[in-house]
Amino acid sequence: MTTITLVQGDITRESADAIVNAANSSLLGGGGVDGAIHRRGGPAILAECRSLRAGHLGKGLPTGEAVATTAGDLDARWVIHTVGPVYSTTEDRSGLLASCYRESLRVADELGARTVAFPAVSTGVYRWPLDDAARIALDTVRTTPTSVTEARFVLFDERAYEAFSSRAG
């Protein structure tokens, strides 16, 4: 059974087997969590991302999918990159958001990771409402069969922490 824990803080300061990156499809870094992970993790992460782009991910990582690289200088063995959907008021993309968490857990299982630190995927520049994102994230992690023993949601600010906390029960 997977234990779900919530912490407020900086995901790049966490110690876990794998840290999930809310990446963009290019895998080449960006803003928010993605930029922070690349900055703190150092050039090894970007080098592996470039290698993936030169190989089977030439067009980038599709939304809802996940792939792993080294964690570089982070206190983890791997970074699992997942591309969240941009929130839409006219199209239900919640299945894609759930897929980010399911696919990240699948990759974690393939790697043998037992502790995984997740950000609140798609809640930054992709504008997913926090309450809905928390519901999708927590429900998906609770119901996805996995060998991960701890799924830790690392929430950047008090607003995100409260949104997840009110749903964590």
Side-chain angles (χ1 to χ4, degrees):
M1 175 150 160
T2 304
T3 300
I4 294 175
T5 56
L6 307 177
V7 297
Q8 184 179 332
D10 177 349
I11 197 165
T12 68
R13 301 277 187 197
E14 291 296 308
S15 175
D17 293 336
I19 292 175
V20 175
N21 180 20
N24 63 53
S25 63
S26 78
L27 296 177
L28 301 179
V33 169
D34 193 19
I37 284 174
H38 276 273
R39 280 189 302 276
R40 182 139 336 198
I45 296 172
L46 182 58
E48 279 196 32
C49 286
R50 284 192 172 128
S51 177
L52 289 167
R53 286 300 305 274
H56 72 285
L57 292 175
K59 293 182 179 174
L61 183 64
T63 301
E65 295 192 16
V67 66
T69 65
T70 181
D73 297 328
L74 297 170
D75 190 8
R77 293 180 64 191
W78 304 282
V79 170
I80 299 173
H81 306 266
T82 191
V83 180
V86 174
Y87 182 72
S88 171
T89 56
T90 59
E91 179 185 350
D92 181 7
R93 298 177 181 168
S94 56
L96 286 169
L97 184 55
S99 180
C100 291
Y101 293 98
R102 261 195 315 279
E103 287 297 301
S104 294
L105 289 170
R106 179 189 60 77
V107 170
D109 284 344
E110 288 176 1
L111 296 168
R114 293 295 171 257
T115 57
V116 178
F118 286 98
V121 176
S122 286
T123 63
V125 70
Y126 290 178
R127 300 180 319 279
W128 205 285
L130 270 170
D131 288 339
D132 194 47
R135 177 188 60 80
I136 292 166
L138 292 165
D139 288 352
T140 302
V141 170
R142 280 186 189 116
T143 60
T144 300
T146 182
S147 297
V148 169
T149 57
E150 182 194 6
R152 184 179 323 134
F153 287 92
V154 184
L155 305 153
F156 185 69
D157 59 22
E158 190 172 330
R159 219 168 59 89
Y161 182 85
E162 289 303 320
F164 274 71
S165 185
S166 70
R167 296 234 175 233

